[in-house]
Amino acid sequence: MNMMRLKQYSDMQKKLSKKATLRAANYDLNACAIQGEIQSQTLVKDKQDSKLHGVENNFPAVLVDANQHYQNDLRSRQEELEKKQKEEEDAMFKKFEAERRAVATEADKEIELEWESKLKDLIAMWEKNCIDEKEFQKRKAEARKDFDAKKNVRLRNKTMRVAQKQQRETSALVDRQGDVMLKLIKDQKEQLAKDMQEQLENAKHKASSGDTESEEAAEWLEGLGEESLNIEEVVTDIIGMTEAPPPKAPRNRKSDIMPDEEDDDFNKVFDDHVATVAENEQTTFTELVHILTGPFMSDLSKARAIYRWITYKDLNNIQFSETGMDSPMGLLRGIKYGTETYHTLFKRLCSYAGLHCTEVNGKSKSVGYEPGMKFEGNSYRNTWNAVLIDGEWRLVQCNWGARFLVINKDKNESKPKEVDEKDDSIKYQYDEHYFLTDPEDFIQEFFPNKQEWQLLDNKISLEDFENQPLVRSIFFHLGLKFKKTYPAVMDASELGSVDVRITVPEEIAQDTAFLYQLRYCEKSKMQELEYCGVKLERFVYQSIQGNEVVYSVHVPTNGEYYLQIFASKMDATRPGQVSSIEGVKLKCVCKFKIIRNSKEEHMYALPNCAPGEWGPNKAARQFQMTAVSHQSGIITAENNLKVKFTLGMPLVFLAKLRMNGVDDKYFQDFIDAQFDDHHLRVKVGFPLSGQYGLDIYAKPKSAPADQPLAHACKYLVNVTDVQNPVDIGVAEIATALETCMGNWGALPEIQKYSVVPQTHTNWKIKTKLSQTVIKFQVPQDVVITAHLVKEPNEDHKDHLNIQRQGSDVVAITAHGIKSAGNYMVMVFSRMDSDDSTVYSNIFNYLIQRE
């Protein structure tokens, strides 16, 4: 370690020493080598003042001296032991290297034998004039290339099997060596206890001797007091701490023993210390652990320092200057060559710190696992640690703690981004959740082979584990709870409906954003996010009711689906600015499988509004808008509607009305947004009965003119009775059928609007499918609508969806056509600038459903 780093470490130790003193009352000091630190630090009465001014350590000098001597002597003995253990490990690594060379040689021989056989066949074909020399050379080169690739695959598979065996051997070696190291530390602790007992007896003797030192000794003994420090108890506890009890449920939750997460000052000093150690190289495990855990006295602090060090270092991408498994490349050669895992390394470092630690084998809901999957054979095997803290076993998963995936939501996308593991957009963060995870939370993702390592009073079966929803760490970070117990696989009702309710802590409810994704389970359709041209997200109604997030799912048709829910805590809005979900890192909270097997017809999609939650809560969070007239996301109206908000800041607005099967631009004359610096009033006059979506967009009044408006909120409006419906220009069914007879295909008016059919130029469409997608090339200034009728006069307009794709393509999807018969699709258009509501018939299709 260079001089600059040495000074940084020294400064860090001083800060940590001071911070540990300040945090002693509730941080990590209930199982320290010199117990009683909690009591001695109760001299610090005002924690807030002490953070500013610092406090000196209040241990009696005899304990400080004894502990210092203990630490120095322990390090010396550990270095001696480690040197001997390294010789054993070096021999093991040489054996490993020989095994891998043997595997490589075996793979080479196997492939060469196969290659010689293949080459012999090619030569025979050439000699028999089955192929000419040119073809022979071509086939030979191709075969050689194939065999080289085959050799690499075979070598990789063989090496993987050898590596797994070597991992087991390394783990067993670390177990044996760890037991010896713990025995050494136990012996040293017992010697420390003996020395401390002698110090106590000497002090008592001096206090009663009447000599010159008696007064000082008496004052020291009196100073210990019942409320401060009982050395006799310390002696007993030090010896007792060296024995590991059998696994059982801990008495306290993690939150009861961990420091306050809001103490950013302390956490920063702690993490800075770990970073300083991690960014330097140490030549022995003894040196590493003494530097890393030196400032700390408790089991908890030491374990957390080790966990943070492992999760801080990018162990999978460490670069070594020397090659060869048996070279003295450093402490982490096992990680480099795959013979040592994160959990084995954690166990090893814990033994050097005097902490009892073991590996736990089992199953996990890791990458690739989906809700409802059964654990069969060796699938989804995993290993983690249990470490003894304050005499209680706690669970740790270092590997997952260093692999916290986040996905940046693209503001132009309406769904969470699907990413590949090789994608540069994947980021990894340290995850505190997997350090001392509470057993009832840990069992959501990990199931041990040995039941006792569930560390639960009420054990669960593997079937119970499989039936639990897929839950990720952010669920616990945010303090979320399910409103009731939900299974991993949910059966939809006859109407295809499923509800999921999640409770959010009230203190973060206004600062937490939620999104979702609904997709098919079938592998062949997993990348499809639409049903009949309609996005699947439009079959989910998300709302926030108080501190509950509600997902009402109505899957469109029979089949199996995944509902994945994402969440993230948003930054608090700065004064005068508007927070936004754009750019928020979305993390998977939970995931369910939904199965629908119903005789009912397919469900209809919600209006094509902006994605996300319904209701005014989003507007309150992001734009300081308070709903006055309608607090719920669902509104029932008749002829017209008035929506009112009060404003916490001056804004400008745009409101849009949407309805399935009708172009949005048609409704621009039926909606009006009036606002000043303090109020917003949206007035709507509905032209027809039916279901509408009301989108409201906003931006600060002070924002640049070219800054686009952001989505503020949306309402779902069910209009039950319009007394004076407005003719939207589409002919009545009867007259439309009369018009169609003898007028199929493109009509003369189509040229006026420069509309060109893209997918179906022939007017007659025969199909056995329940849906047909017809696409037209349509100029931006032309509005398209359509009508669907089944012969003779059945109105099927609800089975029609119209969507503009890009700037010049309109897709008309006729869906849910399940019964045989003749269906007519009538396409109409008008100019966007035309104030008239009259549409011209431009194309008529006949769909013959077989």
Side-chain angles (χ1 to χ4, degrees), residues 281-324:
E281 292 186 8
Q282 294 80 34
T283 57
T284 66
F285 287 114
T286 300
E287 178 189 9
L288 168 62
V289 173
H290 274 263
I291 293 175
L292 184 62
T293 65
F296 312 113
M297 299 184 69
S298 75
D299 290 354
L300 176 56
S301 296
K302 292 176 182 179
R304 186 167 183 258
I306 294 170
Y307 177 79
R308 282 298 287 117
W309 182 85
I310 291 176
T311 55
Y312 182 90
K313 289 187 78 73
D314 191 1
L315 297 178
N316 291 322
N317 293 310
I318 292 176
Q319 299 296 321
F320 295 101
S321 58
E322 300 181 52
T323 57

Side-chain angles (χ1 to χ4, degrees), residues 33-268:
I34 302 178
Q35 194 164 16
E37 187 166 339
I38 293 179
Q39 294 94 322
S40 68
Q41 299 308 330
T42 54
L43 297 175
V44 183
K45 300 300 183 183
D46 190 333
K47 290 168 61 178
Q48 298 302 321
D49 287 346
S50 65
K51 284 185 179 181
L52 299 176
H53 301 105
V55 182
E56 295 299 324
N57 197 303
N58 291 285
F59 290 144
V62 291
L63 299 189
V64 174
D65 292 343
N67 187 53
Q68 186 62 51
H69 175 74
Y70 159 75
Q71 293 290 343
N72 293 338
D73 189 43
L74 174 62
R75 177 164 182 171
S76 176
R77 291 177 182 271
Q78 281 185 301
E79 287 174 343
E80 272 182 48
L81 178 58
E82 181 179 1
K83 186 176 180 181
K84 294 179 181 178
Q85 291 182 340
K86 188 175 184 301
E87 292 175 358
E88 182 183 8
E89 189 169 355
D90 288 344
M92 182 183 69
F93 267 88
K94 288 180 180 180
K95 180 175 77 75
F96 286 173
E97 181 70 16
E99 289 174 347
R100 295 200 180 193
R101 284 196 298 266
V103 164
T105 300
E106 181 184 6
D108 281 339
K109 287 182 178 180
E110 291 176 355
I111 292 298
E112 287 307 311
L113 286 174
E114 294 175 19
W115 162 246
E116 289 174 6
S117 176
K118 177 68 176 179
L119 185 59
K120 184 178 179 180
D121 293 340
L122 288 173
I123 292 173
M125 292 176 67
W126 180 33
E127 290 175 343
K128 293 178 182 179
N129 295 321
C130 295
I131 56 175
D132 57 23
E133 183 177 358
K134 184 178 180 181
E135 181 65 18
F136 168 76
Q137 295 296 342
K138 177 184 175 183
R139 294 192 184 187
K140 177 183 175 182
E142 290 176 349
R144 182 73 260 182
K145 184 178 179 180
D146 290 341
F147 273 91
D148 287 342
K150 187 177 180 180
K151 183 178 81 170
N152 292 334
V153 172
R154 187 170 299 181
L155 178 59
R156 183 169 62 250
N157 292 337
K158 286 177 174 289
T159 302
M160 186 180 299
R161 288 193 291 269
V162 170
Q164 291 172 349
K165 179 185 77 72
Q166 292 175 349
Q167 285 179 4
R168 293 191 292 271
E169 290 184 38
T170 302
S171 178
L173 178 69
V174 171
D175 270 339
R176 293 196 304 272
Q177 293 184 344
D179 289 342
V180 176
M181 188 63 69
L182 287 171
K183 176 65 167 58
L184 170 66
I185 295 173
K186 175 182 178 180
D187 292 343
Q188 290 296 105
K189 284 184 175 182
E190 289 176 345
Q191 184 60 49
L192 172 62
K194 181 179 178 182
D195 293 343
M196 291 171 63
Q197 186 67 46
E198 289 178 359
Q199 292 282 358
L200 177 62
E201 294 301 327
N202 288 338
K204 290 181 178 180
H205 177 73
K206 289 179 181 179
S208 60
S209 64
D211 58 20
T212 56
E213 297 179 351
S214 61
E215 185 176 345
E216 180 182 349
E219 290 178 358
W220 179 78
L221 288 170
E222 184 180 353
L224 297 178
E226 293 182 0
E227 300 298 327
S228 187
L229 184 65
N230 188 324
I231 296 182
E232 291 177 331
E233 291 182 3
V234 171
V235 172
T236 303
D237 289 340
I238 287 176
I239 297 174
M241 285 192 305
T242 60
E243 302 298 332
K248 66 177 182 178
R251 292 166 297 175
N252 301 311
R253 291 184 61 83
K254 174 179 177 178
S255 58
D256 296 327
I257 65 171
M258 286 292 289
D260 295 335
E261 291 184 4
E262 297 179 357
D263 192 346
D264 295 333
D265 190 20
F266 176 80
N267 291 326
K268 183 179 186 305

Side-chain angles (χ1 to χ4, degrees), residues 248-471:
K248 66 177 182 178
R251 292 166 297 175
N252 301 311
R253 291 184 61 83
K254 174 179 177 178
S255 58
D256 296 327
I257 65 171
M258 286 292 289
D260 295 335
E261 291 184 4
E262 297 179 357
D263 192 346
D264 295 333
D265 190 20
F266 176 80
N267 291 326
K268 183 179 186 305
V269 173
F270 189 104
D271 289 346
D272 285 349
H273 164 69
V274 174
T276 301
V277 178
E279 289 167 4
N280 288 273
E281 292 186 8
Q282 294 80 34
T283 57
T284 66
F285 287 114
T286 300
E287 178 189 9
L288 168 62
V289 173
H290 274 263
I291 293 175
L292 184 62
T293 65
F296 312 113
M297 299 184 69
S298 75
D299 290 354
L300 176 56
S301 296
K302 292 176 182 179
R304 186 167 183 258
I306 294 170
Y307 177 79
R308 282 298 287 117
W309 182 85
I310 291 176
T311 55
Y312 182 90
K313 289 187 78 73
D314 191 1
L315 297 178
N316 291 322
N317 293 310
I318 292 176
Q319 299 296 321
F320 295 101
S321 58
E322 300 181 52
T323 57
M325 186 177 290
D326 58 352
S327 63
M329 62 176 65
L331 301 179
L332 303 177
R333 57 182 172 176
I335 295 290
K336 175 67 176 178
Y337 286 106
T339 61
E340 186 167 358
T341 59
Y342 278 53
H343 44 83
T344 301
L345 178 61
F346 182 80
K347 178 176 62 176
R348 183 199 292 267
L349 297 180
C350 282
S351 71
Y352 277 82
L355 302 174
H356 288 277
C357 182
T358 188
E359 292 180 2
V360 182
N361 298 310
K363 305 281 190 180
S364 71
K365 295 180 178 180
S366 49
V367 175
Y369 181 84
E370 299 286 7
M373 281 186 175
K374 301 298 181 183
F375 290 96
E376 299 175 347
N378 293 325
S379 62
Y380 300 101
R381 290 184 302 176
N382 210 315
T383 304
W384 54 94
N385 294 107
V387 60
L388 194 64
I389 302 294
D390 295 2
E392 295 186 321
W393 288 104
R394 302 279 178 171
L395 300 167
V396 176
Q397 200 358 323
C398 294
N399 203 21
W400 287 36
R403 296 179 62 246
F404 188 28
L405 173 66
V406 297
I407 305 174
N408 286 319
K409 179 175 172 61
D410 190 307
K411 65 182 180 181
N412 295 319
E413 295 182 356
S414 60
K415 59 185 179 296
K417 183 180 178 183
E418 291 290 322
V419 296
D420 184 81
E421 289 188 3
K422 296 181 180 179
D423 194 329
D424 291 338
S425 65
I426 293 181
K427 306 295 180 185
Y428 293 98
Q429 296 178 351
Y430 155 69
D431 194 346
E432 178 74 32
H433 171 72
Y434 295 107
F435 176 67
L436 309 192
T437 315
D438 289 319
E440 57 268 33
D441 297 341
F442 201 80
I443 198 65
Q444 300 291 327
E445 296 181 284
F446 301 92
F447 186 85
N449 293 336
K450 294 182 178 180
Q451 194 179 55
E452 61 266 27
W453 285 112
Q454 292 183 22
L455 300 184
L456 295 169
D457 289 327
N458 299 313
K459 307 294 190 294
I460 70 171
S461 66
L462 180 59
E463 184 179 2
D464 294 332
F465 179 65
E466 294 168 340
N467 290 338
Q468 293 177 153
L470 181 59
V471 177

Side-chain angles (χ1 to χ4, degrees), residues 591-802:
K591 193 173 185 179
F592 297 89
K593 184 177 183 178
I594 300 173
I595 299 176
R596 182 185 176 188
N597 186 14
S598 168
K599 295 180 181 179
E600 295 293 328
E601 290 291 323
H602 74 280
M603 299 301 296
Y604 299 114
L606 296 171
N608 190 23
C609 293
E613 69 183 86
W614 296 80
N617 295 66
K618 180 180 175 182
R621 292 196 307 270
Q622 299 186 19
F623 290 95
Q624 302 175 27
M625 297 167 56
T626 303
V628 175
S629 58
H630 299 84
Q631 282 73 39
S632 172
I634 300 179
I635 301 173
T636 300
E638 293 185 355
N639 288 293
N640 50 60
L641 172 68
K642 293 181 181 180
V643 179
K644 299 179 182 180
F645 288 87
T646 58
L647 310 180
M649 59 187 296
L651 300 166
V652 294
F653 293 94
L654 173 67
K656 287 195 172 185
L657 197 61
R658 309 185 192 277
M659 188 181 195
N660 289 340
V662 181
D663 195 300
D664 298 342
K665 295 180 179 179
Y666 169 75
F667 294 113
Q668 59 190 11
D669 296 330
F670 295 89
I671 186 168
D672 180 39
Q674 301 176 356
F675 55 90
D676 54 33
D677 289 351
H678 305 288
H679 301 90
L680 166 67
R681 300 175 182 84
V682 180
K683 298 180 180 180
V684 183
F686 298 103
L688 298 168
S689 298
Q691 189 175 73
Y692 294 81
L694 172 60
D695 270 328
I696 299 176
Y697 298 82
K699 72 174 181 179
K701 189 176 182 180
S702 58
D706 60 350
Q707 177 179 318
L709 282 76
H711 188 255
C713 67
K714 61 181 178 179
Y715 287 98
L716 184 64
V717 186
N718 295 311
V719 180
T720 57
D721 182 24
V722 174
Q723 295 179 357
N724 298 304
V726 177
D727 183 5
I728 62 173
V730 178
E732 293 292 332
I733 293 176
T735 57
L737 286 172
E738 292 174 3
T739 302
C740 286
M741 297 304 175
N743 291 286
W744 299 106
L747 302 180
E749 290 289 309
I750 195 171
Q751 297 180 1
K752 172 182 175 181
Y753 298 101
S754 300
V755 175
V756 179
Q758 280 196 336
T759 55
H760 296 78
T761 55
N762 191 340
W763 59 271
K764 185 180 291 186
I765 303 173
K766 290 186 176 182
T767 182
K768 295 180 179 180
L769 303 176
S770 62
Q771 66 169 338
T772 300
V773 181
I774 304 169
K775 293 186 179 181
F776 287 89
Q777 183 175 330
V778 182
Q780 279 273 45
D781 57 352
V782 174
V783 179
I784 292 289
T785 189
H787 213 98
L788 177 65
V789 178
K790 182 183 179 183
E791 193 177 33
N793 60 356
E794 292 181 15
D795 185 358
H796 283 252
K797 66 180 180 180
D798 290 334
H799 291 252
L800 205 62
N801 181 69
I802 303 171

